[in-house]
Structure formats: C-alpha cells, structure tokens
Amino acid sequence: NDEEDALDEAQGVLEGLCGEGQPFDYFSTFEEGWATERWGELPSAVKVCKDLGSPKCDKCKDRFKCFTGEVNSMIEEAMERTKKEFFDNLAEVKKLLASKSDEELFEDGDFKYRCHCCGSYEGPDVWLYDHEGEGIRDSDHLKNVLEKWACNNGGQPDPELVDKDIYVVPADVHY
C-alpha cells in the first residue's frame, strides 16, 4: 500500500531468508546504519513506476526514484549481477568439465559448488527476490513480478495484487 508496508513486507521476507539453514546470516535495510555505511545512500523503499518501460516517465531522471528500464536502474543492476554470477559459475563448470574425468568431477567439491550456484534459487548468487521470498533468477520471473503475475490469470494481474503498488526494497545481507 505504501513505502512503510513495503518495508515491513520485505523485512518479513528477509527474516525468512536469514538464520540457521537459510542462505543468509542476517540483513540490514537502508533505513538502518550499516547498509548505508557500506553501500552509500539508497532509499528504504521505492515504488516501481506504473509506466513501466516508458521513456516519457519524468521520474526516471533520478536513478533511485523510478524503475522503468532506465540503463542504471536498481532492478536492471540486480538482474545483471544475478546473470553475471550465473555466467561466471557456468564458465567454471565448463572449464572443469573439459579438464577432468567424471570420476574426478565426482570428487571435486568446487565443481559441485559451482553447479549448485548455477541452479541456486536463493543466496548470494541471486540479487532479487519477490514478495514470497523466491529468488528472481531470470527475465520471465522478473516480468511476472512486475506484471503482478498476469501470466497466471489470463493476462490480468492477480486479483489480490491488482490494487497494490510494486516496491523495491534494497537490503544488504551477510552470508
């Protein structure tokens, strides 16, 4: 409904991703001190522009006010980091596949770790999460989130989400 609700929702999602058996140890949002100290000033929650992708959106001049697909938007940056992590790990998997036997790969912890990272749905290799705490790992998932899951509802946004705004809540996590 508003920035405060978005921050509360995100904190609940992040709490579910932290702790024993979870991918992260702890987190800090940008309303708290140490995330800002580490990364600089970011908003605690920002509404995604309704004119998604429109070059005419007057809010897009400020990098952190609107997420319409501008080159340096936080959403694009996060997706690019997720993609980079995937490709870096994939390159290592390919290198190991080319240089080792199946038996050696079976014993190789780094190979298994890199395969895990390529297929990971959460953790340090995934930089965006939806409102249910599921890692956004590809463009289709991101599109579905931004269109409020219209793919599951005959092209119309999910009735429970249709009147809600979409927010981005940046956070720093420790793993």
Side-chain angles (χ1 to χ4, degrees):
N1 295 323
D2 57 30
E3 289 181 23
E4 187 177 324
D5 284 349
L7 189 57
D8 288 345
E9 180 83 17
Q11 287 176 328
V13 166
L14 288 162
E15 286 170 5
L17 292 167
C18 292
E20 191 172 327
Q22 299 302 318
F24 305 117
D25 297 326
Y26 53 87
F27 71 94
S28 175
T29 60
F30 282 82
E31 69 175 2
E32 300 163 1
W34 62 271
T36 301
E37 290 172 16
R38 184 170 177 196
W39 296 99
E41 291 291 324
L42 290 176
S44 57
V46 180
K47 182 167 52 171
V48 173
C49 180
K50 290 186 188 303
D51 296 323
L52 196 61
S54 169
K56 296 181 180 181
C57 177
D58 62 357
K59 297 178 187 176
C60 296
K61 294 180 182 107
D62 184 340
R63 175 177 176 202
F64 301 120
K65 295 294 181 196
C66 179
F67 305 105
T68 62
E70 289 292 302
V71 173
N72 292 319
S73 79
M74 290 170 66
I75 292 174
E76 284 185 331
E77 287 179 31
M79 281 306 296
E80 283 303 313
R81 288 181 186 226
T82 297
K83 188 185 285 187
K84 181 184 180 322
E85 296 287 343
F86 175 82
F87 288 133
D88 288 351
N89 284 305
L90 183 60
E92 288 298 314
V93 167
K94 288 178 178 181
K95 185 172 90 178
L96 291 166
L97 282 169
S99 67
K100 296 190 175 204
S101 70
D102 291 353
E103 205 54 44
E104 290 171 315
L105 291 172
F106 179 77
E107 300 297 335
D108 190 320
D110 185 47
F111 173 75
K112 291 175 182 177
Y113 171 76
R114 298 296 182 157
C115 288
H116 168 78
C117 291
C118 284
S120 129
Y121 283 83
E122 58 187 23
D125 297 305
V126 180
W127 287 66
L128 285 174
Y129 292 82
D130 65 20
H131 69 289
E132 295 179 338
E134 185 177 331
I136 299 174
R137 300 175 356 119
D138 57 50
S139 300
D140 284 341
H141 189 164
L142 178 59
K143 180 181 176 189
N144 290 334
V145 168
L146 295 174
E147 292 178 354
K148 302 179 184 180
W149 298 100
C151 64
N152 296 337
N153 195 36
Q156 298 300 313
D158 182 317
E160 292 182 25
L161 302 174
V162 72
D163 293 328
K164 304 280 184 190
D165 288 319
I166 299 171
Y167 285 82
V168 171
V169 178
D172 181 27
V173 296
H174 180 269
Y175 57 93

